[in-house]
Amino acid sequence: MAEEKQLEQNQREKPMSFITLVIVTGLIGGILWSGLGYLAYVFNLTSIRPNVILEPWTIGDWKEGWLGTVISIVMIGGISIIPAFIYYIFLRRFPSIWLGAGYGIGLFIVVFFILNPIFPGINPFNELERNTIFTSVCFYILYGVFVGYSISYEESEIKYKERMEKETQEDYK
């Protein structure tokens, strides 16, 4: 019995795979920053609610209430897994906070200039208030840094562990 308990204590938890980490990072990043975006809307720092994501696809007033807000924040979290995978595929090898910030600015440009016609709740860029623009740019930069640095950090940790294992194996030869 004591031996079983000791063996159980010595077992380590299996680490999360890198792909799972990318999914979780994208999901949490989207939920976190869209939730903070909703707070910015409540405090009149922006005129854009997370609910704009539901406007093209849903009918009814429910999307303007608390249920629509919660569903919108979760949907944005799910959709933000895609940019996390894009970062994983192309930029994970570059551990730079500036690259993440630039990635966030790139996402801002895609959403506000290219995807803008899809969302009727977002005015054209030249008609947006200054507070909305600055707040949105800041949130996109923070999202890019969050996702980018999380993924790049994990990549560098994996490479470090591989390098240490290789050095350890060479020491035993």
Side-chain angles (χ1 to χ4, degrees):
M1 175 89 170
E3 235 177 83
E4 276 183 38
K5 196 171 191 180
Q6 188 176 15
L7 289 175
E8 200 173 292
Q9 288 176 347
N10 290 337
Q11 290 179 351
R12 291 190 178 173
E13 223 177 280
K14 191 175 181 181
M16 193 181 327
S17 74
F18 200 175
I19 298 298
T20 306
L21 179 104
V22 171
I23 292 169
V24 169
T25 300
L27 181 68
I28 290 175
I31 291 172
L32 173 69
W33 297 112
S34 62
L36 290 173
Y38 178 70
L39 284 177
Y41 171 78
V42 168
F43 291 117
N44 295 320
L45 296 172
T46 182
S47 61
I48 301 171
R49 302 175 59 167
N51 303 48
V52 298
I53 197 157
L54 293 176
E55 288 178 357
W57 297 287
T58 59
I59 299 172
D61 291 337
W62 66 271
K63 63 185 171 190
E64 300 298 324
W66 68 270
L67 181 62
T69 301
V70 171
I71 290 172
S72 298
I73 290 171
V74 172
M75 273 184 68
I76 291 170
I79 291 169
S80 73
I81 294 171
I82 296 167
F85 265 112
I86 292 169
Y87 194 95
Y88 168 77
I89 291 168
F90 296 109
L91 303 172
R92 73 176 185 250
R93 289 176 178 41
F94 308 107
S96 170
I97 196 167
W98 299 110
L99 186 62
Y103 187 67
I105 291 171
L107 289 174
F108 173 83
I109 290 169
V110 167
V111 170
F112 280 81
F113 289 101
I114 297 171
L115 298 178
N116 188 291
I118 296 174
F119 305 110
I122 301 176
N123 292 332
F125 185 78
N126 57 351
E127 295 176 14
L128 291 173
E129 297 173 2
R130 206 177 281 178
N131 280 349
T132 298
I133 294 170
F134 288 138
T135 303
S136 298
V137 168
C138 289
F139 279 135
Y140 275 87
I141 288 172
L142 289 170
Y143 171 80
V145 169
F146 177 81
V147 167
Y149 210 73
S150 298
I151 292 171
S152 294
Y153 177 79
E154 187 64 25
E155 173 75 13
S156 65
E157 283 294 305
I158 289 171
K159 286 185 177 186
Y160 175 76
K161 286 178 185 176
E162 288 173 356
R163 190 170 61 241
M164 293 308 288
E165 286 176 9
K166 187 177 178 183
E167 288 176 6
T168 304
Q169 289 174 355
E170 288 176 1
D171 288 344
Y172 285 117
K173 287 183 181 181

